[in-house]
Amino acid sequence: MACMFASSTFAIKLMEPITSAVLQYFILATPLSPVAILSLPVIVSGAIMFSGNPLIQSNLPFGIGAAFMSNIVLAFRNIALKSRMLNEDRPGLTLRNLRCSVLTFAATCASGAGLAWSQNFLSDHGLSTSATCVLSGIFHVVYSYVSTGIVLSHLSVVSHAVTNILKRVLVVLLLYITGSRSASPVNFLGLGVCTLGLMVYAWTKREQKAPTTNLQDSHHRMQRIEISALSKYFVLVTCSFFGGLCLGIMRDSTISMTDNSMFSGPIAEINSVPTTPDGHHSTQWKKAPFEDAETTNFDVATSAQIDDPLVEWTFTHRANDLPKRNYLLPDFDGYLSKHKHSIKEFLQADLISNPNRSSFLSSKLRTHLEVVKEAQRLHFDVIGKALKTYKYAMLFDLAAFENKGDPCISVGEIYFLARIKLKLLYYCAANTCKKENFIRAEKQARKYSFKDLVILVHGGGNIVGYKFSDNQRFTIFKIFKGYQIFVFPQSVYIRDFNSIHFELCKKNYCCNENVTFVMRDHQSYKYAKQYFSGTTKFIVAPDMAFQIGPMPRFLSPVFDIMWIKRSDHETPNYTEIPVAPQGVRVHVSDWWDWRTPKAPNSLEQAYYTCTNGFFYLQRGRVIITDRLHGHILATLLNIPHVLIDNKQHKLSAYHLSWTAGLQNVYITDDPVIAIDLALKLLAKNSNSLPPRVPFLHINEASGKDNMFAKPDQSYP
């Protein structure tokens, strides 16, 4: 169990009847009929199909060898016990001595634990743990006695192994019925195959000829008992098969949802997109369909609300803890009351199967706290659900460079893994994931099974548009083939629909049954389904930076308007910065040039750089940004801001997906309109925004007043 996933050992243990049959033939000289021999693989294969744990999911030779060795040891033990029973003509062990021993042991342990607890030598938790251990030991002893002292005395070694299979099948069936595991038609088909094999095996026992000697008469009686026992097991499994099938159908019938059910708001606008001259689709946006800004109380939308419990998870002693689910649910007593029924139904939806519905609630939320909570809830309910079966993870392509948004994604990813208790074994940053790092990681990965370890890839907005990042993912897909690979929320950014690289991406991203992409917005999801359709899986969830959580300001602003203007190929391509009214201090720069102190490793560097991004943004009372993470970090800080969209609609696609209802956010593609909207935000939030640092109008060099007549672009 320490060397491989439990399900793999389970599947190997199901082969116990075959091992027992071989050893029984060579040691006890007990042959099986050809039909009985053929029935054993049928029983085993059906049980493996039903349990849903094929042996191909294990890649650890040592673990497989150890599991097979346990089969052999168990078979030798049962053969030795059976041989003793036959030679001594004993029906089995007596229960009296065992019963006395067990009762004496239980009484002694109970008395000792009670005495220790009464004298405060043992805490309530210690008493509970001790009781659990003692009861577990007692039950295991009783189970071992029943298995070897009673069942083995009435069945052959092979039949004993067959009943062991049925025991395991019944355990899995209970997991299916209680909902701890989900069953597919293939699983129940396996149960049917196992039942058919058992029926054939029992029939071969019935057709065996009865011996004539006294000792053989004893064996004959045992044979009749064996046939009777197997028949009872056959009836039990058959009833379980039909009962489990009915319960499975009843449970599955409660989930009947389509992609279009209860879906409204911004995504309807995304789905009705125009066609560009080159024949490809683009996205248009408009203001979210809620109350007009003129009638909205912006002071409420912009208030700090630092008394919310979720703030306790932002950079505090609880940062690595999983928030309580009720902390992340919306308040149904306010403006959401008219949507109460549909939202509660949405909260029960399977968003892995229905990604188009993911933003149903997000698009209705008006405050930054509500948006952050819903983003985190989606992370836990969608991504967490997809990753819940894994114990270990490796994270590749971590971001630690000066583009503050990407390191904040990394910080959010790290917090998320800590909160869902998924242990990270290895990570490397985008600039350090070289060939030798991949070789080292692959060697370490091969110590873990496909079911234990998941390979994670950093999120962002670089699918197709950044060759380096695409090539990194291609390499990861190739090296870790066989493992499940999970790409954190990503955007599809297509600059040239006719490029050779785009064709390469379509080829590499379409058909990887072990790969799951989380798309960061509905436009990207639509692109993925259109251009990468195949066996690769796609789901939808917000950016991972929201795992950082809501943050109160920790810095007084020095500018009235902080304008983040990028200069790379994602820029909206505006050059002139409009002039604000006299006295309004406007600063224009890109946070890539706002340098961060260096750290000894990329993970630590990511935290420094992300925190520096929050520092950078707080220099403005309000913000104008053409960077997506300017929008996301400003939302976490609850700073009113204006988005300037680019021609690929990267910002509007995200805004319409997750933040369309925010009342302190505007969006445009015109810088002149952007400055007007920023001034409107300043006016409407004047009672809640912190004032600019006083006396900054004094020119330190000349002593004259600086009226801030034009935007400042002289420093980062």
Side-chain angles (χ1 to χ4, degrees):
M1 289 287 287
C3 299
M4 60 193 302
F5 194 67
S7 61
S8 298
T9 61
F10 183 89
I12 294 170
K13 292 294 288 181
L14 289 173
M15 294 187 173
E16 185 182 326
I18 298 177
T19 308
S20 298
V22 173
L23 292 178
Q24 179 181 264
Y25 175 78
F26 284 106
I27 297 175
L28 294 182
T30 306
L32 290 175
S33 68
V35 178
I37 293 174
L38 291 176
S39 70
L40 294 180
V42 175
I43 296 172
V44 170
S45 59
I48 292 176
M49 286 174 61
F50 177 64
S51 64
N53 300 307
L55 292 175
I56 58 172
Q57 292 175 341
S58 177
N59 67 329
L60 303 173
F62 181 78
I64 294 174
F68 272 117
M69 184 60 66
S70 70
N71 279 355
I72 296 173
V73 171
L74 186 61
F76 270 116
R77 183 205 69 176
N78 290 342
I79 289 172
L81 290 172
K82 187 67 177 180
S83 178
R84 179 187 174 193
M85 293 174 188
L86 294 176
N87 292 334
E88 298 181 5
D89 195 20
R90 295 174 58 186
L93 304 176
T94 61
L95 184 62
R96 182 177 302 170
N97 294 336
L98 176 68
R99 183 174 58 192
C100 295
S101 300
V102 169
L103 290 176
T104 302
F105 174 75
T108 303
C109 290
S111 301
L115 181 63
W117 178 74
S118 64
Q119 299 299 318
N120 294 325
F121 292 120
L122 193 65
S123 64
D124 291 343
H125 177 71
L127 180 64
S128 175
T129 303
S130 301
T132 301
C133 292
V134 171
L135 288 175
S136 176
I138 292 173
F139 288 142
H140 185 74
V141 169
V142 173
Y143 159 74
S144 298
Y145 169 78
V146 171
S147 174
T148 58
I150 299 177
V151 177
L152 191 59
S153 66
H154 296 296
L155 299 177
S156 69
V157 176
V158 178
S159 299
H160 180 272
V162 170
T163 58
N164 244 342
I165 279 189
L166 300 178
K167 175 197 70 178
R168 295 184 174 100
V169 167
L170 289 175
V171 170
V172 175
L173 183 64
L174 286 174
L175 294 176
Y176 286 144
I177 292 174
T178 59
S180 301
R181 295 181 62 167
S182 58
S184 68
V186 174
N187 298 128
F188 285 109
L189 175 63
L191 183 56
V193 171
C194 181
T195 304
L196 177 62
L198 176 61
M199 182 172 64
V200 173
Y201 181 79
W203 187 260
T204 61
K205 288 292 180 180
R206 182 174 181 178
E207 288 188 336
Q208 289 180 6
K209 295 181 179 180
T212 56
T213 64
N214 292 334
L215 182 59
Q216 288 173 332
D217 285 340
S218 174
H219 292 174
H220 188 205
R221 289 192 299 272
M222 291 173 61
Q223 184 187 57
R224 289 198 300 270
I225 296 173
E226 179 175 343
I227 294 172
S228 175
L230 288 172
S231 300
K232 292 176 182 177
Y233 274 112
F234 171 72
V235 172
L236 179 61
V237 172
T238 303
C239 293
S240 301
F241 171 75
F242 287 107
L245 184 61
C246 292
L247 287 172
I249 292 173
M250 291 173 60
R251 193 180 64 179
D252 292 340
S253 65
T254 61
I255 305 176
S256 56
M257 299 171 290
T258 63
D259 286 351
N260 298 322
S261 61
M262 298 198 310
F263 198 81
S264 61
I267 306 311
E269 300 165 26
I270 287 183
N271 290 337
S272 56
V273 295
T275 302
T276 59
D278 59 0
H280 297 282
H281 294 293
S282 62
T283 302
Q284 288 184 334
W285 49 264
K286 64 180 182 181
K287 185 63 183 171
F290 295 103
E291 291 82 358
D292 185 82
E294 298 295 337
T295 61
T296 301
N297 185 347
F298 272 80
D299 287 340
V300 174
T302 332
S303 61
Q305 303 185 59
I306 58 175
D307 59 337
D308 191 271
L310 191 61
V311 179
E312 297 180 16
W313 271 261
T314 305
F315 298 150
T316 69
H317 64 289
R318 307 187 71 175
N320 294 340
D321 297 336
L322 183 68
K324 294 181 179 179
R325 181 175 173 80
N326 63 304
Y327 288 172
L328 304 179
L329 296 178
D331 179 10
F332 294 112
D333 295 331
Y335 67 93
L336 291 175
S337 59
K338 59 184 178 181
H339 305 291
K340 184 175 182 179
H341 176 73
S342 59
I343 291 175
K344 286 189 174 181
E345 186 178 350
F346 164 75
L347 293 175
Q348 304 301 319
D350 180 5
L351 299 179
I352 293 180
S353 301
N354 298 276
N356 273 328
R357 303 186 60 208
S358 300
S359 61
F360 173 77
L361 175 57
S362 297
S363 61
K364 293 176 168 52
L365 302 176
R366 301 181 185 178
T367 69
H368 85 294
L369 270 175
E370 293 172 325
V371 168
V372 174
K373 289 179 179 181
E374 175 61 4
Q376 291 195 6
R377 187 194 70 81
L378 288 168
H379 290 158
F380 296 128
D381 285 2
V382 178
I383 303 177
K385 180 180 178 181
L387 296 178
K388 69 177 181 179
T389 61
Y390 301 101
K391 298 179 181 178
Y392 309 103
M394 292 184 173
L395 176 61
F396 295 96
D397 207 23
L398 192 81
F401 40 84
E402 284 293 349
N403 183 5
K404 309 300 185 293
D406 289 280
C408 283
I409 295 175
S410 297
V411 171
E413 291 165 349
I414 294 298
Y415 278 137
F416 176 74
L417 296 179
R419 288 165 182 169
I420 66 172
K421 310 303 180 187
L422 184 55
K423 185 177 180 180
L424 192 64
L425 299 177
Y426 180 81
Y427 73 87
C428 66
N431 61 334
T432 60
C433 285
K434 307 297 184 183
K435 181 178 179 181
E436 55 271 20
N437 299 87
F438 283 126
I439 293 174
R440 186 182 305 114
E442 180 189 19
K443 184 177 180 181
Q444 185 176 1
R446 297 307 168 188
K447 299 177 182 178
Y448 301 88
S449 73
F450 296 155
K451 282 283 190 170
D452 263 337
L453 175 66
V454 62
I455 305 300
L456 304 176
V457 186
H458 172 69
N462 51 43
I463 295 179
V464 180
Y466 291 80
K467 292 183 179 180
F468 173 80
S469 297
D470 288 320
N471 290 333
Q472 286 280 73
R473 282 186 285 268
F474 300 160
T475 301
I476 293 169
F477 294 172
K478 182 178 179 180
I479 291 177
F480 296 98
K481 185 177 181 180
Y483 289 95
Q484 290 294 319
I485 300 174
F486 200 89
V487 182
F488 278 122
Q490 273 278 358
S491 296
V492 178
Y493 172 60
I494 306 175
R495 285 189 279 170
D496 184 0
F497 285 90
N498 300 311
S499 68
I500 297 176
H501 181 69
F502 182 41
E503 295 300 319
L504 183 63
C505 289
K506 287 195 283 187
K507 178 181 178 182
N508 282 275
Y509 288 148
C510 73
C511 307
N512 300 278
E513 62 181 359
N514 291 333
V515 175
T516 300
F517 277 93
V518 186
M519 308 317 296
R520 196 167 59 175
D521 55 73
H522 287 283
Q523 174 180 267
S524 296
Y525 176 71
K526 185 172 183 177
Y527 281 151
K529 298 296 287 185
Q530 180 177 354
Y531 297 113
F532 309 142
S533 61
T535 56
T536 302
K537 296 176 283 293
F538 299 97
I539 57 180
V540 180
D543 190 271
M544 293 305 296
F546 277 102
Q547 279 292 319
I548 295 172
M551 291 185 60
R553 283 183 182 257
F554 55 82
L555 181 71
S556 292
V558 295
F559 308 115
D560 294 298
I561 300 174
M562 183 71 199
W563 192 314
I564 309 174
K565 183 181 183 299
R566 68 190 307 160
S567 57
D568 58 8
H569 54 76
E570 290 192 47
T571 180
N573 286 325
Y574 58 92
T575 55
E576 296 295 326
I577 302 297
V579 177
Q582 193 173 33
V584 177
R585 192 181 188 197
V586 180
H587 184 79
V588 183
S589 65
D590 188 13
W591 61 15
W592 192 282
D593 301 319
W594 183 258
R595 296 298 172 180
T596 304
K598 297 302 179 184
N601 59 73
S602 56
L603 182 56
E604 186 175 339
Q605 186 67 51
Y607 273 77
Y608 292 173
T609 306
C610 176
T611 306
N612 199 26
F614 286 110
F615 189 107
Y616 174 91
L617 286 179
Q618 291 178 80
R619 296 188 297 159
R621 298 182 72 205
V622 300
I623 294 168
I624 298 174
T625 177
D626 56 23
R627 284 193 175 276
L628 175 60
H629 279 88
H631 167 50
I632 292 174
L633 268 62
T635 300
L636 295 177
L637 288 163
N638 198 26
I639 299 177
H641 55 285
V642 179
L643 309 180
I644 301 181
D645 202 16
N646 63 7
K647 62 182 180 180
Q648 287 82 18
H649 305 290
K650 178 179 178 180
L651 280 74
S652 61
Y654 191 91
H655 176 60
L656 289 175
S657 295
W658 310 110
T659 61
L662 283 175
Q663 297 185 341
N664 59 354
V665 177
Y666 286 121
I667 184 168
T668 182
D669 57 5
D670 187 335
V672 176
I673 296 176
I675 197 77
D676 291 338
L677 293 174
L679 293 171
K680 183 181 290 187
L681 288 173
L682 282 172
K684 289 188 174 296
N685 294 280
S686 58
N687 293 332
S688 58
L689 288 173
R692 201 179 63 199
V693 171
F695 311 123
L696 288 175
H697 63 282
I698 299 174
N699 188 312
E700 185 177 2
S702 64
K704 299 180 180 180
D705 283 351
N706 188 341
M707 301 308 296
F708 308 121
K710 61 180 182 179
D712 184 7
Q713 304 183 57
S714 61
Y715 65 99

